[in-house]
Amino acid sequence: EAGVAQSPRYKIIEKRQSVAFWCNPISGHATLYWYQQILGQGPKLLIQFQNNGVVDDSQLPKDRFSAERLKGVDSTLKIQPAKLEDSAVYLCASSLAGTNTGELFFGEGSRLTVL
Amino acid sequence: GDSVTQMEGPVTLSEEAFLTINCTYTATGYPSLFWYVQYPGEGLQLLLKATKADDKGSNKGFEATYRKETTSFHLEKGSVQVSDSAVYFCALSPPGGYQKVTFGTGTKLQVIP
């Protein structure tokens, strides 16, 4: 079974530029998450989708971050314009809906460096 | 809101030493509790879980017991190996709803031969 796929793995941009990250969850997983992991900290939930609807985006900085999950499968997270403090690893995870086991399957992450 | 507090690292142990990583949580009701592990260069993966009070989760020689009275879920292993070197994250998910998982800050473990 293929795992969660993310791209790009690494991205370096200058502040005020834009960047987009892509995620393909495990087939059949209805719930998709984007987490931000700053160096030395735990993952922080940015947005959670159930199919193609948003369940929780309370910690998403909506003035610069946006995310979509068209057709309830792939998802894209965009940052525009980027700030220095956005340097982090962006983790995508997916899970089966309805089980409430809390078991998330993570991709390897996309590491963003903002200069 | 829900939160998880872990002991700060890094933790450095010799091979075959006993490991404890402390984790306490704040949540309403009876959340599910988890330990995730992140090996160098890899994504996070679930290590073990417990879904109700007094449950013990176990995997790969690691254990953790859900203690409602002390709101704790400490991770233990009797004899660590070099291959256990990783970052360990305690996490919780509230009952019902849409499985919102909240993570602690992580504890880095380094095991030396």
Side-chain angles (χ1 to χ4, degrees), chain A residues 21-114:
Chain A
F21 301 111
W22 172 82
C23 173
N24 182 240
I26 292 173
S27 177
H29 281 194
T31 309
L32 185 147
Y33 310 76
W34 283 103
Y35 282 86
Q36 179 192 57
Q37 187 177 15
I38 293 173
L39 186 65
Q41 299 181 19
K44 182 183 85 170
L45 180 67
L46 293 177
I47 189 166
Q48 179 177 344
F49 292 95
Q50 183 77 11
N51 295 308
N52 59 348
V54 175
V55 171
D56 187 332
D57 64 356
S58 57
Q59 297 193 92
L60 185 74
K62 298 180 185 64
D63 57 333
R64 297 183 300 105
F65 285 65
S66 65
E68 60 183 9
R69 190 183 184 197
L70 300 176
K71 300 181 182 179
V73 183
D74 293 9
S75 177
T76 302
L77 176 70
K78 296 180 181 178
I79 308 173
Q80 182 178 16
K83 293 185 175 181
L84 296 177
E85 59 260 37
D86 298 332
S87 294
V89 177
Y90 291 86
L91 300 169
C92 180
S94 68
S95 69
L96 288 169
T99 62
N100 201 34
T101 64
E103 181 167 7
L104 274 57
F105 295 83
F106 283 86
E108 294 182 322
S110 295
R111 182 179 297 276
L112 173 65
T113 301
V114 182

Side-chain angles (χ1 to χ4, degrees), chain B residues 34-48:
Chain B
F34 312 89
W35 279 98
Y36 278 79
V37 59
Q38 187 172 32
Y39 297 104
E42 298 183 17
L44 278 83
Q45 56 187 276
L46 181 67
L47 178 61
L48 55 84

Side-chain angles (χ1 to χ4, degrees), chain B residues 45-67:
Chain B
Q45 56 187 276
L46 181 67
L47 178 61
L48 55 84
K49 66 181 181 185
T51 57
K52 60 183 188 293
D54 299 325
D55 267 4
K56 178 184 285 187
S58 61
N59 186 25
K60 299 182 180 180
F62 290 89
E63 294 182 338
T65 302
Y66 189 140
R67 301 288 189 199

Side-chain angles (χ1 to χ4, degrees), chain B residues 29-104:
Chain B
Y30 289 82
S32 295
L33 302 173
F34 312 89
W35 279 98
Y36 278 79
V37 59
Q38 187 172 32
Y39 297 104
E42 298 183 17
L44 278 83
Q45 56 187 276
L46 181 67
L47 178 61
L48 55 84
K49 66 181 181 185
T51 57
K52 60 183 188 293
D54 299 325
D55 267 4
K56 178 184 285 187
S58 61
N59 186 25
K60 299 182 180 180
F62 290 89
E63 294 182 338
T65 302
Y66 189 140
R67 301 288 189 199
K68 181 64 177 175
E69 63 277 11
T70 54
T71 61
S72 65
F73 193 56
H74 305 321
L75 183 67
E76 297 182 335
K77 187 175 185 181
S79 176
V80 295
Q81 306 300 312
V82 172
S83 57
D84 295 326
S85 297
V87 182
Y88 293 82
F89 294 90
C90 188
L92 68 79
S93 178
Y98 285 106
Q99 299 180 237
K100 178 177 179 178
V101 182
T102 300
F103 288 85

